[in-house]
Amino acid sequence: MSSTIMVVPCYNEEKRLPSSTFLSYARPRAHLRFLMVDDGSKDGTRNVLQALAAEDPQHFSVHALEQNSGKAEAVRHGLLKAMESNPDYVGFWDADLATPLEAADEFIATLDRNPQVDMVLGSRVQLLGRNIERDRGRHYFGRVAATAVSNMLGLRVYDTQCGAKLFRVTDQMRELFREPFLTRWVFDVEILARWIKANQSLPRPVLEARVHEIPLKEWKDVKGSRLKPMDFVKAPLELARIWRHYFG
């Protein structure tokens, strides 16, 4: 498989980070590294991450941000740092492993098999034979939001907000992450908006062929989520901001 660096944004994850799971998954995969981003944590997260990197420096490194900037900027800084090493692919994965790490194998294999694909998105589709455990309220809100996003982008995307994504490293992909995000809560949508704008000369069918959504076999809400009710109010406002800035 191709060389891959997966960014894992972490904020106050001292008691939640499943370090042993990361270690056991990474050790047999020489092609894969994790860049653990400490987003200015106020607990002992940095010590936990440094211990992880010390135990397995081949697979783990730490990028520390001195001030808390939020997940969007932690991901962006991490991806830019990861791309400095010129891997084939970079991506990001939620630290709580709501998406099991084993799904990353399929993400990487998808980019290996399809050189025309720029990005792979995890998609939480509740199909028979799959174990997708989501809070019902969030699920229905997510479906309404996803429909709005799909219409706004003109892209038939099912799930933009799953915290598991992988990108092919190109000069264009580097540029997508060069500037800070306008948004904090729906930056995943902003990534797609930037990518669509950078490729606006291409017909939509060609664009859609360059993004691949993978229905996850397993996903579950993990206790301790930092999403608050007000965040669901902010999301539509941020979507409107994306529309005005990139398409208005």
Side-chain angles (χ1 to χ4, degrees):
M1 288 187 176
S2 299
S3 61
T4 302
I5 300 178
M6 200 68 76
V7 170
V8 181
C10 301
Y11 178 66
N12 290 351
E13 297 285 352
E14 178 185 12
K15 300 186 185 304
R16 293 208 318 159
L17 190 77
S19 297
S20 60
T21 303
F22 275 101
L23 285 165
S24 61
Y25 174 77
R27 281 172 173 153
R29 293 168 170 84
H31 62 283
L32 178 63
R33 287 182 287 154
F34 288 93
L35 178 61
M36 315 298 287
V37 179
D38 175 24
D39 185 22
S41 297
K42 295 178 174 60
D43 62 359
T45 295
R46 190 170 305 183
N47 292 335
V48 172
L49 299 182
Q50 289 172 341
L52 187 62
E55 184 165 352
D56 188 353
Q58 179 183 349
H59 290 101
F60 295 91
S61 58
V62 179
H63 183 53
L65 305 180
E66 292 308 315
Q67 294 184 338
N68 175 245
S69 302
K71 181 181 177 181
E73 283 303 289
V75 166
R76 190 181 70 85
H77 280 285
L79 291 174
L80 288 174
K81 182 67 175 178
M83 285 189 276
E84 290 177 4
S85 300
N86 295 314
D88 296 305
Y89 314 138
V90 296
F92 62 91
W93 214 264
D94 281 349
D96 60 12
L97 300 187
T99 305
L101 286 169
E102 287 73 18
D105 295 337
E106 187 176 359
F107 283 38
I108 295 168
T110 297
L111 289 184
D112 282 348
R113 290 193 307 265
N114 301 281
Q116 82 282 2
V117 173
D118 287 343
M119 60 181 78
V120 177
L121 317 177
S123 189
R124 296 164 293 184
V125 186
Q126 293 182 320
L127 300 171
L128 293 174
R130 295 175 187 260
N131 184 23
I132 307 297
E133 299 177 12
R134 298 186 68 184
D135 173 83
R136 183 167 294 185
R138 289 186 181 182
H139 169 71
Y140 289 124
F141 177 85
R143 296 314 316 134
V144 172
T147 300
V149 168
S150 180
N151 290 332
M152 181 184 79
L153 298 177
L155 200 69
R156 293 178 297 175
V157 58
Y158 181 87
D159 184 1
T160 59
Q161 300 310 112
C162 179
K165 293 180 173 63
L166 190 66
F167 310 97
R168 189 181 302 278
V169 175
T170 62
D171 289 340
Q172 183 187 84
M173 198 61 69
R174 288 184 171 90
E175 284 304 311
L176 289 188
F177 296 100
R178 195 69 62 191
E179 298 294 327
F181 290 115
L182 300 173
T183 58
R184 289 174 61 91
W185 312 108
V186 292
F187 73 94
D188 311 69
V189 177
E190 191 171 351
I191 292 171
L192 285 168
R194 290 181 177 188
W195 179 79
I196 289 169
K197 187 172 182 179
N199 294 284
Q200 58 188 333
S201 62
L202 297 177
R204 286 304 159 113
V206 174
L207 279 181
E208 291 192 347
R210 290 172 59 180
V211 181
H212 195 112
E213 280 192 278
I214 292 181
L216 298 173
K217 295 177 181 177
E218 183 178 347
W219 191 93
K220 60 181 178 180
D221 275 314
V222 178
K223 291 182 180 179
S225 170
R226 296 184 177 88
L227 282 174
K228 301 177 179 63
M230 275 302 296
D231 298 338
F232 294 99
V233 177
K234 294 174 183 176
L237 301 176
E238 292 199 343
L239 289 176
R241 190 176 185 189
I242 290 172
W243 168 254
R244 288 194 301 270
H245 186 82
Y246 295 102
F247 306 114

